[in-house]
Amino acid sequence: MRDWPCELVFAGDPALLQSRAELLDRPVTVSVWQPGDEPRPQVAGRMPVLALPLAAPVTPGRIEAANAAGVLAQLDAAIDGCLAGRFAAMVTAPVQKSALAAPGRPFSGHTEYLAARSGAPQPVMLLIAGTLRVALATTHLPLAAVPAALSVDGLVQTLEVLDRGLKQWLGIALPRIAVCGLNPHAGESGQLGHEDGDVIAPAIAEAAARGIRARGPLPADTAFTPAALAEADAVLAMYHDQGLPVVKHAGFGRAVNVTLGLPFLRTSVDHGTALDLAGSGRADPGSLFEAIALAARLAP
């Protein structure tokens, strides 16, 4: 825990958080937060909690399906608070997707859930590691499903959301966006795939006609070279593992995910749950601290 220039409200189970603090021998005082409480800067050791108790006891590192609804309730409470203006931003820690997904309750990730719950038609994940900014045209999809998920209209909307987000949140007046191709060598004139010429190139042309400074499709194996990045404020990758390895190589443990296109500011960590480290005190909180710091800096 550390001091912050804003108030942090933790959505969770107060008893669980207090017991974890005691297990790890951390000097933390958990209190129940109420919407009418006067905001005050975060002080190390104080943990105001939006109380949402879980249904079953929690064992560090073990998935408990009975608590899935409780985890989603925590997300819902944070979303509702942001939409109502009680919170200026949302910062999310990682969740175990397999524990939340169930028949009748599809859950492919925070981004998709937040968008559906807040009525955002086109969320865009933007990963930031220092000066490197990488957005994703598709998020948590099997690789085989990516080509069918790309369309001219969808990519134009993604470029519009990215362009608007770079202006709104990061203060870049005229963003320059480098757009990766889908196939090796951006399709090599159709020899290695048709999506680059039939879908991505027309989308870039349409976006440019709308005043967006996008260029490409660029071969992904050269889009991230220093010379190429010097000419771009952000790179749009076509799928998760085209962009994320570069971001994590550049700043794993310090990178931040910003979700553009939502009606509120949301940042998140750049890693998963690390169940093998749960309860050990050895997990690195660096990315979470970066996500909090960025939210505090950008929050309206």
Side-chain angles (χ1 to χ4, degrees), residues 15-167:
L16 172 64
L17 293 170
Q18 187 68 66
S19 68
R20 286 295 174 269
E22 294 169 0
L23 173 68
L24 298 173
D25 195 25
R26 298 289 196 271
V28 175
T29 301
V30 174
S31 60
V32 175
W33 177 85
Q34 300 292 344
D37 290 351
E38 186 69 22
R40 51 180 174 164
Q42 175 67 33
V43 176
R46 183 176 68 89
M47 183 176 260
V49 178
L50 174 58
L52 294 157
L54 295 173
V58 176
T59 301
R62 182 179 301 172
I63 298 299
E64 178 51 73
N67 286 327
V71 173
L72 292 178
Q74 294 170 8
L75 277 178
D76 290 342
I79 294 167
D80 292 342
C82 287
L83 292 175
R86 290 192 295 274
F87 306 131
M90 179 193 303
V91 180
T92 56
V95 294
Q96 190 71 21
K97 300 177 184 63
S98 61
L100 299 184
R105 189 181 64 211
F107 186 92
S108 59
H110 269 129
T111 299
E112 297 81 1
Y113 187 84
L114 297 177
R117 186 68 167 64
S118 63
Q122 188 78 12
V124 174
M125 289 177 62
L126 175 67
L127 288 301
I128 301 175
T131 59
L132 177 63
R133 306 179 188 96
V134 179
L136 300 180
T138 60
T139 52
H140 301 104
L141 290 178
L143 187 57
V146 171
L150 298 175
S151 68
V152 174
D153 289 344
L155 286 174
V156 171
Q157 291 179 43
T158 296
L159 285 165
E160 287 182 324
V161 171
L162 177 56
D163 180 72
R164 186 165 58 247
L166 291 169
K167 294 173 180 176

Side-chain angles (χ1 to χ4, degrees), residues 151-153 155-156 159 194-209 216-217:
S151 68
V152 174
D153 289 344
L155 286 174
V156 171
L159 285 165
H194 62 85
E195 294 87 357
D196 305 273
D198 293 351
V199 179
I200 301 174
I204 293 171
E206 175 61 26

